[in-house]
Amino acid sequence: MTRRTAFFLVVALVSVLGAATARGQEKLEIFSWWAGDEGPALQALLDRYAAQNPSIAVVNSTVTGGSGVNARAVLKTRMLGGDPPDSFQVHAGQELIGTWVVANRMEDLTSLFKSEGWMNQFPPGLIALLSAKGGIWSVPVNIHRSNVMWYVPANLKKWGVTPPKTWDEFLTTCAALQAQGVKAPLALGENWTVNHLWESVALGVLGPDAWSGLWSGRVRMDDAKVVKVWETFGKVLACTNADASGLSWQQATDRMLKGDSAFNVMGDWAAGYMATTLKLKPGEGFGWAASPGTGGTFMMLSDSFGLPKGVKHHNAAQKWLKLLGSREGQDIFNPLKGSIAARLDSDPAKYNAYLQSAAKDWKVNKVVGSLVHGAVAPESFASQFGTVMEIYLGSKNAQAAASASRAIADQVGLGK
Ligand code: GAL
């Protein structure tokens, strides 16, 4: 054997061994938008997974952007390109069903729900939200609340105001604050957070029954009541900061915490940010109330993970889903995330004062679903609604926005 041949033999051997190692090492790739400030809860769960499964290398693929605005686009490219992650974050409800279940891209998880005893551990209404076409399509890790108004108790005291109970009262409070030099009493952030504010205004103006009627088709999007929602929304917008489009949801929260604004309407991941990342004490560093006009109603959404068909690491993905759905997994994740457990048997002692109050409301309030966070409408409606909003922000024409929403609802067959 010449030295040259020997050299090539060694190189070949090394690469064969390398490939064998790569094949031998089991992997799990999970995909979500929980990075940076939003990352600690997911990281705690991944740490637990790694401790349970030391031989599995975890790849944590994240695409930043609140409410999944960027992640959903990347996911679409990967799914359609035949390169699905082993498990991905998706909102329970129409976001998953209307996109990936109807396209036959997901595995039915009914047998997993049965073998893990989950049929009795999750609320029946939530299982219904995850179900369609005779299957159950994802595992819920939490329940978040959309309709929350946040504030700093000491600041409200200083300004002599209290959290408003209706949107009309909010407008009066807004004027009182502006008279004291608080130019933008309500902190707002980038585009999707504007839609998020809209859903709280809509719930407050319509009430829970008419809100739910929008999604079942019982109430039309161009009903006079909905025109009123847009009119009220326009007045509320006049109380917000001019630089909203350049702020992430966390920066909008910061604006409220700094006292540049008095209030912020955001889902309770804001409680996770304030308590976990900023280490503020619930009730002291920040306070909360149902957004105006929505007391007694819990607008819910749930983050869940599904199992796409044809994944590379099926076994590792199943183990991930089992941890997510377990009591242990939910009680590791949720106290850090600012959400409550989706399971019925979680340990309240692990949760802070805000989360304990949310858990109580979840039990006794009327429950409705969020539009912006995927529960009630398919993406085909939700994304076009974003365009209606952009046009509205330019024109402030309530009637035109209501008519355009009706046209989209008819086009996508909402409630049919
Ligand atoms: C929601 C999601 C939450 C949180 C939030 C901000 O859609 O359900 O878990 O991540 O977006 O990004």
Side-chain angles (χ1 to χ4, degrees):
M1 194 190 307
T2 63
R3 283 176 64 180
R4 194 180 143 82
T5 320
F7 172 77
F8 281 117
L9 264 177
V10 169
V11 170
L13 196 61
V14 167
S15 54
V16 165
L17 283 176
T21 318
R23 263 201 304 276
Q25 165 97 63
E26 225 190 325
K27 245 173 73 175
L28 168 75
E29 187 198 3
I30 62 150
F31 182 92
S32 78
W33 61 86
W34 290 329
D37 287 337
E38 288 218 74
L42 176 64
Q43 193 52 53
L45 206 52
L46 292 179
D47 290 348
R48 183 71 194 118
Y49 184 89
Q52 285 177 338
N53 304 286
S55 63
I56 302 179
V58 178
V59 180
N60 181 14
S61 301
T62 53
V63 178
T64 18
S67 100
V69 277
N70 305 322
R72 269 191 290 279
V74 175
L75 178 69
K76 195 160 284 174
T77 312
R78 290 193 53 176
M79 292 286 279
L80 299 179
D83 177 31
D86 297 318
S87 185
F88 63 84
Q89 177 192 1
V90 65
H91 289 122
Q94 284 304 310
E95 184 176 306
L96 172 67
I97 310 277
T99 309
W100 301 119
V101 175
V102 294
N104 199 21
R105 298 280 177 152
M106 304 304 291
E107 274 195 28
D108 179 5
L109 302 174
T110 307
S111 57
L112 186 67
F113 271 69
K114 289 196 171 142
S115 60
E116 293 300 297
W118 291 342
M119 300 306 287
N120 303 316
Q121 296 294 2
F122 292 114
L126 182 59
I127 294 191
L129 195 63
L130 303 164
S131 303
K133 295 175 165 282
I136 307 177
W137 301 101
S138 63
V139 179
V141 67
N142 66 4
I143 301 290
H144 265 307
R145 185 176 193 173
S146 166
N147 60 317
V148 192
M149 180 173 247
W150 308 97
Y151 55 88
V152 177
N155 288 349
L156 295 202
K157 206 164 163 210
K158 180 179 79 190
W159 291 315
V161 299
T162 51
K165 293 215 159 34
T166 63
W167 283 109
D168 282 344
E169 199 184 314
F170 168 81
L171 294 172
T172 313
T173 307
C174 167
L177 287 162
Q178 285 174 330
Q180 295 186 53
V182 185
K183 284 201 204 107
L186 184 62
L188 191 61
E190 61 186 324
N191 49 6
W192 71 267
T193 74
V194 180
N195 302 339
H196 186 103
L197 175 61
W198 186 88
E199 73 179 11
S200 257
V201 173
L203 181 63
V205 172
L206 295 172
D209 294 338
W211 169 262
S212 298
L214 288 178
W215 316 112
S216 67
R218 188 166 36 83
V219 177
R220 300 288 176 202
M221 289 283 171
D222 58 353
D223 190 287
K225 290 196 276 287
V226 187
V227 178
K228 172 92 191 306
V229 169
W230 285 102
E231 284 165 1
T232 308
F233 182 64
K235 293 180 195 154
V236 171
L237 278 182
C239 297
T240 62
N241 41 307
D243 62 351
S245 64
L247 304 185
S248 66
W249 68 263
Q250 292 95 329
Q251 288 171 318
T253 309
D254 292 342
R255 200 175 196 288
M256 178 271 297
L257 291 172
K258 274 192 293 186
D260 293 338
S261 294
F263 303 107
N264 176 228
V265 170
M266 188 39 59
D268 49 12
W269 42 92
Y273 171 59
M274 291 186 278
T276 305
T277 306
L278 304 181
K279 312 260 178 283
L280 295 175
K281 190 160 182 227
E284 284 176 25
F286 66 94
W288 62 91
S291 53
T294 72
T297 302
F298 193 115
M299 184 183 271
M300 66 78 66
L301 59 120
S302 170
D303 292 302
S304 69
F305 281 78
L307 183 56
K309 283 187 174 161
V311 296
K312 295 190 195 80
H313 312 100
H314 194 269
N315 179 41
Q318 284 242 345
K319 289 184 174 155
W320 164 247
L321 295 177
K322 284 182 186 171
L323 175 61
L324 274 186
S326 71
R327 180 185 193 218
E328 183 196 14
Q330 305 227 331
D331 281 349
I332 288 174
F333 179 85
N334 289 301
L336 296 169
K337 182 65 171 66
S339 42
I340 55 174
R343 284 179 69 111
L344 298 163
D345 60 352
S346 85
D347 176 4
K350 296 203 159 78
Y351 292 78
N352 67 28
Y354 166 72
L355 290 168
Q356 290 186 0
S357 89
K360 192 168 145 248
D361 287 352
W362 170 242
K363 281 202 191 101
V364 300
N365 280 187
K366 247 193 184 160
V367 174
V368 299
S370 158
L371 161 66
V372 180
H373 307 280
V376 290
E379 238 185 296
S380 50
F381 179 84
S383 62
Q384 293 191 75
F385 181 83
T387 311
V388 171
M389 179 62 79
E390 270 163 38
I391 297 170
Y392 174 78
L393 292 180
S395 70
K396 298 282 159 59
N397 185 331
Q399 181 63 57
S403 306
S405 311
R406 164 82 194 258
I408 304 168
D410 289 348
Q411 186 206 326
V412 306
L414 200 66
K416 296 263 161 59

